[in-house]
Amino acid sequence: MRTDELLRLKQELDTLAVFRELREDEILCSLSSYLECLTDAPEVAAGAYSRFVGELYEANGGDLAAYLRGRCEVSENIYVRTLGAGNTPPAVIRRSLERELAILDRVAALTPEELTEPMDAGLSLPEFTSEGGEISSFYAHRTENIGKYGYGKYARNRMFYLDGEGQIVPVQSPDGIRLSDLVDYEDERRRIVDNTKALLAGRPAANILLTGDAGTGKSSTVKAVGNEFFGEGLRIIEVRKDQLAMIPALLDELAGNPLKFILFIDDLSFAGEDDRFNGLKAVLEGSVAARSHNVVVYATSNRRHLVRERFADRDGDEVHRNDTLQEIVSLSNRFGIQITFQRPDKKTYLHIVSQLAGQKGVVMDDAELAAGAERYALERGGRSARLAKQYIEGILSRE
């Protein structure tokens, strides 16, 4: 490619407006710096070119087109925000988007030979690749299916948490458990899956309270549902009990997002004097501030009533203490669906052990496997799905 053509491409990159954040992108800035050096001495241009390729190696192994697709995928530009909120972007922005995607297509199609042709440096220079098709067609597919793909940090991540400032942060190493990894409790999981499908389809969906003994798979089920339906536009945001007051602001932030969200509250319970449940109650009752079409709450608890009620609470000196106790004890009734995960009996427990052993490739005599599983459970105070998993993992660690 001629020097004037490459310099023209550099000038076009400087005109990005919809994707204006790409003008500050490290890789594209490095590419622009090289293009500016084409009129300098060959050794100067060669050094700038090598820096560009080296940074591309560090970014993704050296695929320019894939890098550009990734940057467009997570872009939170005005076009995709408007589209995601259910509105039609203005025609002037659509035309700008088309122009900029055409520019990025030309950049993505560059080859090492085209980039280095004007230098004539007589040097052996590093190479890069550029594969995977046009940026414009890729981006068109993403935006046409924005309710499944999302944008920004939600495009690639499936699970999130709230930091101390209430900011939504991706979980870097999320639990990859799938529904197929879970054994038994089919009816309980089916109700959760059906409710989640209703949310994804835009139908009314209920908030769910999952109660039952520890280790029965309540939290694992919620995470598995999140993994199962990531490709359908579902994301999970974990909210701690001490962050419940942040939920109204969180709902406001998510209201204009095209994706569907589960606010996951794990191990939920309150002391009788704890008034933080009022924030959750407002959300569950669907107050004006809490109403949302794309968010449900899935909470787990080892307590059916969520509030730890003491005998002392019944003898308090409040005039309306009876009403107060009824209010806090009935919090669980404000969930549209309540599902109980019972502690497995011996037959169910051993079935879980057997299924997990098959999944993990454990080869052992059935009687020996069952006897060891029972002994393991008795030593730890009772049977549960969690203990079954730990028992199998213990066998695998000894192999």
Side-chain angles (χ1 to χ4, degrees), residues 20-54:
R20 67 184 187 277
E21 76 272 16
L22 295 186
R23 290 158 56 183
E24 307 299 326
D25 177 79
E26 182 178 8
I27 302 298
L28 289 182
C29 283
S30 183
L31 175 60
S32 293
S33 295
Y34 161 66
L35 297 176
E36 290 175 348
C37 293
L38 287 177
T39 57
D40 295 335
E43 60 271 18
V44 175
Y49 169 81
S50 298
R51 282 193 295 274
F52 156 67
V53 177

Short mmCIF file of all heavy atoms in Angstrom, two decimals, residues 20-54:
data_model
loop_
_atom_site.label_atom_id
_atom_site.label_comp_id
_atom_site.label_asym_id
_atom_site.label_seq_id
_atom_site.Cartn_x
_atom_site.Cartn_y
_atom_site.Cartn_z
N ARG A 20 -15.21 7.08 19.49
CA ARG A 20 -14.14 8.03 19.79
C ARG A 20 -13.15 7.51 20.82
O ARG A 20 -11.99 7.94 20.85
CB ARG A 20 -14.72 9.37 20.26
CG ARG A 20 -15.43 9.34 21.60
CD ARG A 20 -16.05 10.70 21.90
NE ARG A 20 -16.62 10.77 23.23
CZ ARG A 20 -17.84 10.34 23.55
NH1 ARG A 20 -18.60 9.79 22.62
NH2 ARG A 20 -18.30 10.44 24.78
N GLU A 21 -13.57 6.57 21.68
CA GLU A 21 -12.62 6.03 22.67
C GLU A 21 -11.49 5.27 22.00
O GLU A 21 -10.41 5.11 22.58
CB GLU A 21 -13.34 5.15 23.70
CG GLU A 21 -13.74 3.76 23.21
CD GLU A 21 -15.10 3.73 22.54
OE1 GLU A 21 -15.61 4.81 22.17
OE2 GLU A 21 -15.67 2.63 22.40
N LEU A 22 -11.71 4.81 20.76
CA LEU A 22 -10.66 4.09 20.04
C LEU A 22 -9.52 5.02 19.63
O LEU A 22 -8.41 4.56 19.36
CB LEU A 22 -11.23 3.39 18.81
CG LEU A 22 -12.22 2.26 19.07
CD1 LEU A 22 -12.59 1.56 17.78
CD2 LEU A 22 -11.67 1.25 20.07
N ARG A 23 -9.80 6.31 19.58
CA ARG A 23 -8.72 7.26 19.27
C ARG A 23 -7.67 7.28 20.37
O ARG A 23 -6.54 7.72 20.16
CB ARG A 23 -9.30 8.65 19.06
CG ARG A 23 -10.12 8.76 17.78
CD ARG A 23 -11.12 9.89 17.80
NE ARG A 23 -10.48 11.18 18.06
CZ ARG A 23 -11.17 12.32 18.19
NH1 ARG A 23 -12.49 12.31 18.10
NH2 ARG A 23 -10.54 13.44 18.41
N GLU A 24 -8.04 6.83 21.58
CA GLU A 24 -7.10 6.76 22.70
C GLU A 24 -6.64 5.34 22.96
O GLU A 24 -5.90 5.09 23.91
CB GLU A 24 -7.76 7.32 23.96
CG GLU A 24 -8.35 8.71 23.81
CD GLU A 24 -7.31 9.74 23.45
OE1 GLU A 24 -6.16 9.60 23.92
OE2 GLU A 24 -7.63 10.68 22.68
N ASP A 25 -7.09 4.40 22.13
CA ASP A 25 -6.71 3.00 22.34
C ASP A 25 -5.21 2.81 22.13
O ASP A 25 -4.62 3.33 21.17
CB ASP A 25 -7.49 2.11 21.35
CG ASP A 25 -7.11 0.66 21.46
OD1 ASP A 25 -7.59 0.00 22.39
OD2 ASP A 25 -6.32 0.20 20.61
N GLU A 26 -4.61 2.04 23.01
CA GLU A 26 -3.15 1.87 22.99
C GLU A 26 -2.65 1.28 21.68
O GLU A 26 -1.66 1.76 21.10
CB GLU A 26 -2.73 0.98 24.16
CG GLU A 26 -1.23 0.78 24.28
CD GLU A 26 -0.85 -0.08 25.48
OE1 GLU A 26 -1.77 -0.63 26.12
OE2 GLU A 26 0.35 -0.19 25.74
N ILE A 27 -3.33 0.26 21.18
CA ILE A 27 -2.86 -0.40 19.95
C ILE A 27 -3.03 0.52 18.75
O ILE A 27 -2.13 0.65 17.91
CB ILE A 27 -3.63 -1.72 19.73
CG1 ILE A 27 -3.43 -2.65 20.92
CG2 ILE A 27 -3.17 -2.38 18.44
CD1 ILE A 27 -2.02 -3.08 21.17
N LEU A 28 -4.20 1.16 18.65
CA LEU A 28 -4.42 2.04 17.51
C LEU A 28 -3.54 3.29 17.58
O LEU A 28 -3.12 3.82 16.54
CB LEU A 28 -5.90 2.43 17.42
CG LEU A 28 -6.84 1.29 16.99
CD1 LEU A 28 -8.27 1.79 16.89
CD2 LEU A 28 -6.39 0.70 15.66
N CYS A 29 -3.26 3.77 18.76
CA CYS A 29 -2.32 4.89 18.90
C CYS A 29 -0.93 4.47 18.44
O CYS A 29 -0.20 5.25 17.80
CB CYS A 29 -2.28 5.37 20.35
SG CYS A 29 -3.70 6.39 20.84
N SER A 30 -0.55 3.24 18.76
CA SER A 30 0.75 2.73 18.34
C SER A 30 0.79 2.58 16.82
O SER A 30 1.81 2.90 16.17
CB SER A 30 1.02 1.38 19.00
OG SER A 30 2.30 0.90 18.68
N LEU A 31 -0.33 2.13 16.23
CA LEU A 31 -0.40 2.03 14.78
C LEU A 31 -0.30 3.42 14.14
O LEU A 31 0.44 3.61 13.16
CB LEU A 31 -1.71 1.35 14.36
CG LEU A 31 -2.00 1.29 12.86
CD1 LEU A 31 -0.91 0.52 12.12
CD2 LEU A 31 -3.37 0.67 12.61
N SER A 32 -1.02 4.39 14.71
CA SER A 32 -0.97 5.75 14.18
C SER A 32 0.44 6.33 14.28
O SER A 32 0.90 7.04 13.37
CB SER A 32 -1.96 6.64 14.93
OG SER A 32 -3.29 6.26 14.66
N SER A 33 1.13 6.04 15.38
CA SER A 33 2.50 6.53 15.55
C SER A 33 3.40 5.97 14.46
O SER A 33 4.28 6.68 13.92
CB SER A 33 3.04 6.14 16.93
OG SER A 33 2.31 6.78 17.95
N TYR A 34 3.21 4.71 14.13
CA TYR A 34 4.00 4.13 13.04
C TYR A 34 3.69 4.82 11.71
O TYR A 34 4.61 5.17 10.95
CB TYR A 34 3.72 2.64 12.92
CG TYR A 34 4.13 2.08 11.58
CD1 TYR A 34 5.47 2.05 11.20
CD2 TYR A 34 3.17 1.63 10.66
CE1 TYR A 34 5.85 1.57 9.95
CE2 TYR A 34 3.54 1.15 9.42
CZ TYR A 34 4.88 1.13 9.07
OH TYR A 34 5.26 0.67 7.83
N LEU A 35 2.40 5.02 11.43
CA LEU A 35 2.04 5.65 10.16
C LEU A 35 2.61 7.06 10.04
O LEU A 35 2.98 7.50 8.95
CB LEU A 35 0.51 5.68 10.01
CG LEU A 35 -0.18 4.30 9.94
CD1 LEU A 35 -1.69 4.45 9.89
CD2 LEU A 35 0.34 3.50 8.75
N GLU A 36 2.70 7.76 11.16
CA GLU A 36 3.31 9.09 11.15
C GLU A 36 4.80 9.04 10.82
O GLU A 36 5.38 10.03 10.36
CB GLU A 36 3.10 9.78 12.50
CG GLU A 36 1.66 10.18 12.79
CD GLU A 36 1.51 10.75 14.18
OE1 GLU A 36 2.45 10.61 14.99
OE2 GLU A 36 0.43 11.31 14.48
N CYS A 37 5.42 7.88 11.09
CA CYS A 37 6.87 7.74 10.88
C CYS A 37 7.23 7.31 9.45
O CYS A 37 8.42 7.17 9.13
CB CYS A 37 7.44 6.70 11.85
SG CYS A 37 7.40 7.20 13.57
N LEU A 38 6.23 7.11 8.61
CA LEU A 38 6.52 6.61 7.27
C LEU A 38 7.38 7.57 6.45
O LEU A 38 8.07 7.15 5.52
CB LEU A 38 5.20 6.31 6.52
CG LEU A 38 4.45 5.07 7.01
CD1 LEU A 38 3.14 4.92 6.26
CD2 LEU A 38 5.30 3.81 6.86
N THR A 39 7.30 8.86 6.76
CA THR A 39 8.12 9.83 6.03
C THR A 39 9.48 10.05 6.69
O THR A 39 10.30 10.84 6.19
CB THR A 39 7.38 11.17 5.93
OG1 THR A 39 7.05 11.62 7.24
CG2 THR A 39 6.10 11.02 5.11
N ASP A 40 9.73 9.36 7.82
CA ASP A 40 11.01 9.48 8.50
C ASP A 40 12.00 8.44 7.94
O ASP A 40 11.70 7.71 7.00
CB ASP A 40 10.84 9.26 10.01
CG ASP A 40 10.00 10.35 10.66
OD1 ASP A 40 9.97 11.46 10.11
OD2 ASP A 40 9.37 10.08 11.70
N ALA A 41 13.15 8.37 8.56
CA ALA A 41 14.16 7.40 8.15
C ALA A 41 13.62 5.99 8.32
O ALA A 41 12.84 5.72 9.25
CB ALA A 41 15.43 7.59 8.98
N PRO A 42 14.01 5.03 7.46
CA PRO A 42 13.48 3.66 7.54
C PRO A 42 13.67 3.02 8.91
O PRO A 42 12.79 2.30 9.38
CB PRO A 42 14.28 2.93 6.46
CG PRO A 42 14.66 3.98 5.48
CD PRO A 42 14.90 5.22 6.30
N GLU A 43 14.82 3.28 9.55
CA GLU A 43 15.05 2.63 10.86
C GLU A 43 14.09 3.16 11.93
O GLU A 43 13.70 2.43 12.84
CB GLU A 43 16.50 2.80 11.30
CG GLU A 43 16.96 4.25 11.46
CD GLU A 43 17.51 4.85 10.19
OE1 GLU A 43 17.24 4.30 9.10
OE2 GLU A 43 18.22 5.87 10.30
N VAL A 44 13.71 4.43 11.81
CA VAL A 44 12.73 5.00 12.76
C VAL A 44 11.37 4.35 12.55
O VAL A 44 10.69 3.94 13.50
CB VAL A 44 12.64 6.53 12.59
CG1 VAL A 44 11.53 7.10 13.47
CG2 VAL A 44 13.97 7.18 12.91
N ALA A 45 10.94 4.25 11.29
CA ALA A 45 9.66 3.61 10.98
C ALA A 45 9.66 2.15 11.39
O ALA A 45 8.66 1.63 11.90
CB ALA A 45 9.36 3.75 9.49
N ALA A 46 10.79 1.46 11.16
CA ALA A 46 10.87 0.03 11.53
C ALA A 46 10.70 -0.16 13.03
O ALA A 46 10.03 -1.09 13.48
CB ALA A 46 12.21 -0.54 11.06
N GLY A 47 11.29 0.73 13.80
CA GLY A 47 11.15 0.63 15.25
C GLY A 47 9.72 0.88 15.69
O GLY A 47 9.20 0.18 16.58
N ALA A 48 9.06 1.87 15.07
CA ALA A 48 7.67 2.17 15.42
C ALA A 48 6.75 1.02 15.03
O ALA A 48 5.82 0.65 15.76
CB ALA A 48 7.22 3.46 14.75
N TYR A 49 7.02 0.43 13.86
CA TYR A 49 6.22 -0.72 13.42
C TYR A 49 6.38 -1.89 14.39
O TYR A 49 5.41 -2.55 14.77
CB TYR A 49 6.64 -1.13 12.01
CG TYR A 49 6.06 -2.46 11.58
CD1 TYR A 49 4.77 -2.55 11.10
CD2 TYR A 49 6.83 -3.64 11.66
CE1 TYR A 49 4.23 -3.79 10.72
CE2 TYR A 49 6.32 -4.86 11.28
CZ TYR A 49 5.01 -4.93 10.81
OH TYR A 49 4.49 -6.14 10.44
N SER A 50 7.60 -2.16 14.81
CA SER A 50 7.85 -3.28 15.71
C SER A 50 7.19 -3.07 17.07
O SER A 50 6.73 -4.03 17.70
CB SER A 50 9.37 -3.48 15.88
OG SER A 50 9.96 -3.80 14.64
N ARG A 51 7.17 -1.82 17.53
CA ARG A 51 6.47 -1.54 18.79
C ARG A 51 4.99 -1.83 18.66
O ARG A 51 4.37 -2.40 19.56
CB ARG A 51 6.70 -0.08 19.20
CG ARG A 51 8.06 0.17 19.83
CD ARG A 51 8.11 1.55 20.51
NE ARG A 51 7.98 2.63 19.51
CZ ARG A 51 8.99 3.14 18.84
NH1 ARG A 51 10.22 2.66 19.01
NH2 ARG A 51 8.79 4.12 17.97
N PHE A 52 4.39 -1.44 17.53
CA PHE A 52 2.97 -1.72 17.29
C PHE A 52 2.70 -3.21 17.33
O PHE A 52 1.78 -3.68 18.01
CB PHE A 52 2.56 -1.12 15.94
CG PHE A 52 1.36 -1.78 15.32
CD1 PHE A 52 0.11 -1.68 15.92
CD2 PHE A 52 1.50 -2.53 14.15
CE1 PHE A 52 -1.00 -2.31 15.33
CE2 PHE A 52 0.41 -3.16 13.58
CZ PHE A 52 -0.84 -3.05 14.18
N VAL A 53 3.50 -3.99 16.61
CA VAL A 53 3.29 -5.43 16.55
C VAL A 53 3.52 -6.07 17.93
O VAL A 53 2.77 -6.95 18.35
CB VAL A 53 4.19 -6.09 15.50
CG1 VAL A 53 4.02 -7.60 15.50
CG2 VAL A 53 3.88 -5.53 14.11
N GLY A 54 4.52 -5.60 18.64
CA GLY A 54 4.79 -6.15 19.97
C GLY A 54 3.62 -5.91 20.92
O GLY A 54 3.25 -6.80 21.71
#
